[in-house]
Amino acid sequence: MLELSTLDWLVLAGFALLMVGVVVASMRQKEEDTTDYFLAGRNAGWLVIGASIFASNIGSEHLVGLSGSGAESGMALAHWELQSWIILLLGWIFVPFYWSSKVYTMPEFLERRFNPQSRSFLSVISLVSYVLTKVAVTVYAGGVAFKTILGIESIWGIDFFWISAVGLVVLTGIYTVLGGMKAIMWTSVIQTPVLIIGSVVILVVGLDQVGGWAEMERLNGENMHLMRAASDANFPWPGIVFGSFIIGFWYWCTDQYIVQRVLSAKGIQAARRGTIFAGYLKLLPVFIFLVPGLIAHALQAKGIISFDSADQAFPTLVAELLPSGVKGIVIGGLVAALMSSLASLFNSSATLFTIDFYKKYKPESSEQQLLKVGRIATVVVVVLGILWIPVMSLIADVLYEYLQSVQSLIAPGIAAVFLLGICSKRITPTAGYVGLVAGFVLGMFRLVLLPFRDAIHGTSIAWVVEMNWLYYCVLLFVLVCLIVIGLSFVTKAPTEDNVRGLTFSTLGKDTLQDVLKGLDKWDYIHTAIILGITAFIYWRFW
């Protein structure tokens, strides 16, 4: 069992008191309507937006899963953590469309661009994916981490995994329900530095133990390279380059989970600068989450530490390497990662259900009724997430692979429809809706067949599951694009009024003026710095 010193407990207690204080302060600022509860009154500044985007993205699956992937496959998955430039696309290109349209959700935006059917279908896809992947994966990874770090097998006959996992979910659900989006945004400002500090400590101590960066590189060998051969079974470079972009574009530019932070901005300028700040923060995960996995691999090769599975790499580093007084910071960071990502997810799910389902079918509902429904929806998502954990625990040995596979099957259809719909006003409502359905059906077709890979080997459909998952992702994106473009030539085009302000060519002059008047040289300078750092990392680890 891990022994925590008095200083460790004081650090954790201080962190907990700060969190409670922020939630209480948020509760005292009474939400008058759904804009207050779901979008923090559309008054968030760039600092809060950037911190919230980063904290929402980084969950316990990053500390556990990303470190585990570093220990197992090296730098291969770093491509997903070098997507600051895609966050910049959100701020520079997509923010004007989303923010100026004053929508609450991404499905609502699709309804304005295409039709109500597109809105409903995207809402269903989003809610299902949130419960089955993000909630369950985050909670499961958190449970594994705390059980490994603290070394507690059970309490009162109950597996400690369930005590820690369920306890943190319930705690996060309570402050999400009570505080709404304001609590989430402001607790992210606290959680982000705690998360970063804790992870940096692991990085520094781990490098010292392994004998420095050069020794770590030597012991990891070929795993230090970002690019693998095109024939690589898991991470071929063409699949990595194009597949990671498709998944990244879907996640950063179209997913309610992330975009809701931008929709909370007090203006286009604040939203853009928030994404620039998030772009800086997003450069960190490769070094503070993935590199510790490389360190763990090197330390195990030297016989300094030992762990049974890759997912235990990060928890083992915490339990065996950190000095007294520092463990509290790292554990606080882990708690912050878990709570921030779950809180964002709970609120986004509640927003989707309340705005895209309840309000749509009961438009006469008062603002107070909608707030009540939003809180109830959050509770339901919490419960469903907990109920799904036993299913996820059955495939814990491939947890991160499972998450990647599901995202690679959901992302292509949504990404293609959003991208084409904004780029061209000729894309029709029918084509957009059919593209969403086709992408989802073709993606789920592979997902359903995956458990039966051995049984269908040698049959005419075996290629569906035997194709590399990244190549399948790219193929799916291309197919949906062809379907959408083809149908747009044979179905009725939308009128100019129907797409005004929703495509590049129809963006209003007022919106363009808002974009231009908020620009100054520092927006360009910081954007160039982020792109330059990203390019340097690719050159260094090519």
Side-chain angles (χ1 to χ4, degrees):
M1 182 182 295
L2 176 66
E3 294 185 4
L4 298 180
S5 67
T6 302
L7 183 58
D8 290 322
W9 285 113
L10 288 174
V11 169
L12 288 172
F15 173 73
L17 287 174
L18 276 173
M19 294 286 292
V20 170
V22 170
V23 174
V24 171
S26 300
M27 289 172 58
R28 295 181 67 180
Q29 299 177 27
K30 184 179 179 181
E31 298 96 358
E32 297 181 358
D33 53 29
T34 48
T35 301
D36 271 341
Y37 185 73
F38 293 123
L39 298 179
R42 291 192 192 270
N43 196 39
W46 66 267
L47 176 65
V48 175
I49 293 171
S52 183
I53 289 175
F54 180 74
S56 300
N57 169 239
I58 303 302
S60 55
E61 77 275 12
H62 270 77
L63 278 74
V64 176
L66 190 55
S67 294
S69 69
E72 184 173 10
S73 57
M75 294 287 287
L77 288 173
H79 296 269
W80 276 261
E81 306 310 317
L82 292 173
Q83 292 186 338
S84 294
W85 65 279
I86 301 182
I87 306 178
L88 295 177
L89 290 181
L90 171 63
W92 282 91
I93 297 177
F94 293 93
V95 158
F97 296 102
Y98 298 153
W99 193 88
S100 62
S101 64
K102 301 298 181 184
V103 296
Y104 283 84
T105 68
M106 291 297 92
E108 185 181 357
F109 180 82
L110 274 196
E111 179 180 34
R112 295 192 183 185
R113 176 58 185 88
F114 296 117
N115 52 35
Q117 293 85 354
S118 298
R119 175 179 184 172
S120 298
F121 196 76
L122 180 59
S123 298
V124 171
I125 298 173
S126 300
L127 286 169
V128 171
S129 67
Y130 288 171
V131 173
L132 301 188
T133 60
K134 292 178 180 177
V135 173
V137 168
T138 300
V139 174
Y140 183 84
V144 169
F146 282 110
K147 184 174 181 178
T148 304
I149 291 173
L150 299 178
I152 303 174
E153 289 298 323
S154 63
I155 295 179
W156 300 314
I158 303 175
D159 191 333
F160 188 70
F161 165 84
W162 289 107
I163 295 176
S164 58
V166 174
L168 285 169
V169 169
V170 172
L171 181 62
T172 306
I174 289 173
Y175 93 70
T176 306
V177 170
L178 296 178
M181 190 63 176
K182 289 179 182 176
I184 295 169
M185 298 287 276
W186 283 107
T187 52
S188 296
V189 176
I190 298 173
Q191 292 164 339
T192 296
V194 172
L195 174 61
I196 292 173
I197 291 171
S199 300
V200 168
V201 169
I202 281 283
L203 175 66
V204 173
V205 174
L207 282 175
D208 179 66
Q209 290 287 325
V210 83
W213 185 275
E215 180 68 1
M216 182 201 67
E217 284 194 304
R218 184 186 69 82
L219 291 170
N220 279 280
E222 291 299 313
N223 274 352
M224 292 301 299
H225 293 293
L226 279 164
M227 295 297 182
R228 310 292 166 87
S231 59
D232 188 274
N234 297 312
F235 307 105
W237 74 261
I240 280 283
V241 170
F242 296 105
S244 65
F245 169 74
I246 294 168
I247 298 171
F249 174 78
W250 160 73
Y251 181 82
W252 292 110
C253 297
T254 72
D255 191 13
Q256 178 71 20
Y257 180 66
I258 293 297
V259 177
Q260 188 165 342
R261 273 84 220 128
V262 174
L263 298 180
S264 303
K266 59 185 177 183
I268 293 178
Q269 182 190 66
R272 181 179 61 253
R273 291 181 178 176
T275 60
I276 291 174
F277 180 45
Y280 274 115
L281 295 175
K282 188 58 181 173
L283 294 170
L284 297 174
V286 169
F287 301 101
I288 63 176
F289 301 136
L290 191 142
V291 169
L294 296 169
I295 292 172
H297 174 82
L299 289 174
Q300 181 162 257
K302 283 191 162 189
I304 298 176
I305 64 172
S306 177
F307 49 89
D308 298 326
S309 67
D311 284 340
Q312 294 178 347
F314 182 85
T316 302
L317 290 175
V318 175
E320 297 191 18
L321 295 188
L322 293 186
S324 178
V326 179
K327 293 185 178 73
I329 297 176
V330 177
I331 294 175
L334 183 59
V335 173
L338 177 76
M339 295 180 69
S340 62
S341 57
L342 281 178
S344 300
L345 180 58
F346 294 156
N347 190 264
S348 296
S349 301
T351 305
L352 284 171
F353 180 83
T354 305
I355 302 301
D356 290 318
F357 285 105
Y358 191 83
K359 187 176 181 179
K360 181 178 179 181
Y361 295 105
K362 290 194 174 183
E364 73 282 0
S365 300
S366 68
E367 290 293 323
Q368 292 304 313
Q369 285 178 309
L370 293 176
L371 289 176
K372 183 178 179 180
V373 170
R375 291 187 170 97
I376 294 173
T378 303
V379 174
V380 172
V381 170
V382 171
V383 173
L384 291 176
I386 293 173
L387 293 177
W388 184 251
I389 294 175
V391 181
M392 293 296 299
S393 67
L394 298 176
I395 55 172
D397 56 328
V398 290
L399 185 64
Y400 214 64
E401 180 183 343
Y402 169 85
L403 178 62
Q404 294 166 348
S405 297
V406 173
Q407 290 183 336
S408 72
L409 298 174
I410 292 175
I414 300 174
V417 170
F418 263 92
L419 193 60
L420 291 173
I422 289 177
C423 287
S424 174
K425 64 181 181 181
R426 183 63 183 82
I427 301 300
T428 67
T430 301
Y433 175 66
V434 172
L436 278 178
V437 175
F440 183 72
V441 171
L442 292 174
M444 293 305 100
F445 180 59
R446 174 182 165 100
L447 188 63
V448 170
L449 291 179
L450 279 173
F452 309 101
R453 183 195 301 263
D454 294 335
I456 64 175
H457 179 70
T459 66
S460 59
I461 61 172
W463 67 271
V464 176
V465 293
E466 292 175 355
M467 176 184 285
N468 176 272
W469 64 284
L470 287 165
Y471 284 149
Y472 192 87
C473 175
V474 176
L475 175 63
L476 189 52
F477 179 82
V478 173
L479 285 175
V480 173
C481 285
L482 292 176
I483 291 171
V484 172
I485 294 172
L487 278 177
S488 293
F489 282 110
V490 296
T491 54
K492 184 179 179 181
T495 64
E496 191 76 21
D497 288 338
N498 288 339
V499 295
R500 182 171 289 115
L502 301 175
T503 68
F504 285 124
S505 61
T506 63
L507 200 60
K509 291 182 179 179
D510 291 341
T511 302
L512 291 174
Q513 288 175 353
D514 287 339
V515 173
L516 295 174
K517 74 180 181 182
L519 286 171
D520 63 28
K521 64 178 182 180
W522 289 107
D523 292 310
Y524 297 106
I525 291 173
H526 287 301
T527 298
I529 291 173
I530 292 172
L531 295 176
I533 294 174
T534 303
F536 173 79
I537 294 173
Y538 267 99
W539 171 79
R540 174 62 177 78
F541 296 102
W542 188 269

